[in-house]
Amino acid sequence: PALKAADIGCAMGVTGTDVAKGAADMILTDDNFATIVAAVEEGRGIYANIKKAIQFLLSGNTAGILTVLYASLAGLPVPFAAVHLLFINLLTDSLPAIALGLEPHSDAVMQEKPRPRSEGILTKPFLLSVGTEGLVIALATIIAFHIGLASGGAAVASTMAFATLTLARLFHGFNCRSKHNIFKLGFSSNWYSLGAFAAGVVLLGIVMFVPFMQNLFSVTPLTQSQLINVCLLAAVPTVLIQMFKIIRDIKHRK
């Protein structure tokens, strides 16, 4: 009865009786209570990584939605072809999301307060963060779109918007690794994130520079200045987000 009434009934796996094991929610196979601590730490790490991947995907997709919405309301040409969005969602987005799922958790997860049982993933602070990050990435994409319209027309504008959004989302994978700035976290703590970024850049480069892929993905060759604008605008959201995190980390230290 006590095991059933407990929030989490815990029975011993070695010395416990079959009745106790049947009534328990958790069975310690090694009869060691320290295993519970290790299990909680692992569970918190997995939950945190799931939130990071969701944050990355939602904020990136929010940026794409806001860009398309802006172009529609402003009466501008469509910024993305369907194949552009397929490329982003199926190829370049999946790699950083997987890398975030493999992010090693630190001992700091055990210093956090337990979250309420009824609390979901999509909390107000989480959605605010997703919306803000998506808006910043969308602004960079919209600026690239306008530069393309002014310098080469709708085809160039679409290519610049596509390249900027893709590259900005690859950069954004580093932002989602932790609530702390990337310099405090360190790049080498998760080599998967670096590999995902490099693979995404290579895939984008193949689409942008290989003639057959250009035709397949409906992109137009860009000039050197246009490519520089794409790279700079794609990096701006990550620079701004990291600056905010650095300031926040400094305030918390004080």
Side-chain angles (χ1 to χ4, degrees):
L3 288 171
K4 276 293 185 183
D7 289 333
I8 301 177
C10 182
M12 301 294 105
V14 178
T15 59
T17 64
D18 291 338
V19 175
K21 294 177 186 178
D25 300 298
M26 177 192 299
I27 300 174
L28 292 177
T29 57
D30 57 359
D31 285 12
N32 187 351
F33 281 102
T35 304
I36 298 177
V37 179
V40 170
E41 182 177 359
E42 187 68 22
R44 286 187 173 189
I46 292 172
Y47 181 81
N49 287 351
I50 291 173
K51 286 194 69 172
K52 293 170 187 175
I54 293 175
Q55 179 181 359
F56 169 75
L57 294 171
L58 287 182
S59 55
N61 287 328
T62 298
I65 292 170
L66 291 175
T67 303
V68 173
L69 182 62
Y70 167 80
S72 299
L73 294 176
L76 299 173
V78 178
F80 308 112
V83 69
H84 294 164
L85 299 178
L86 285 173
F87 175 84
I88 293 173
N89 288 320
L90 295 180
L91 294 178
T92 56
D93 261 12
S94 59
L95 298 175
I98 293 172
L100 289 170
L102 298 172
E103 182 74 27
H105 58 267
S106 65
D107 296 335
V109 296
M110 295 303 288
Q111 299 172 5
E112 300 174 359
K113 295 181 180 179
R115 65 182 184 276
R117 182 184 298 180
S118 59
E119 180 181 282
I121 291 179
L122 302 180
T123 60
K124 287 184 179 180
F126 181 80
L127 291 176
L128 178 62
S129 178
V130 167
T132 303
E133 293 168 356
L135 177 61
V136 175
I137 297 173
L139 289 174
T141 306
I142 290 169
I143 293 172
F145 186 62
H146 276 288
I147 293 174
L149 284 175
S151 61
V156 172
S158 177
T159 301
M160 289 188 66
F162 160 66
T164 301
L165 180 61
T166 303
L167 191 56
R169 290 169 78 156
L170 289 172
F171 277 121
H172 187 49
F174 295 113
N175 296 325
C176 297
R177 286 186 56 197
S178 172
K179 61 183 179 181
H180 300 294
N181 68 82
I182 192 64
F183 302 104
K184 181 177 180 180
L185 184 65
F187 287 95
S188 61
S189 57
N190 185 357
W191 289 104
Y192 296 106
S193 64
L194 292 174
F197 177 80
V201 170
V202 170
L203 289 172
L204 178 61
I206 291 173
V207 170
M208 295 294 294
F209 300 116
V210 177
F212 168 75
M213 300 300 288
Q214 289 175 348
N215 295 329
L216 184 62
F217 284 91
S218 303
V219 300
T220 300
L222 300 179
T223 64
Q224 184 177 359
S225 62
Q226 290 168 343
L227 288 171
I228 292 174
N229 284 327
V230 165
C231 294
L232 291 176
L233 287 169
V236 165
T238 294
V239 171
L240 294 177
I241 293 170
Q242 289 300 317
M243 287 177 62
F244 171 77
K245 290 186 176 185
I246 290 172
I247 294 172
R248 186 176 59 186
D249 288 342
I250 292 173
K251 287 183 177 180
H252 284 175
R253 278 205 301 267
K254 292 180 179 179

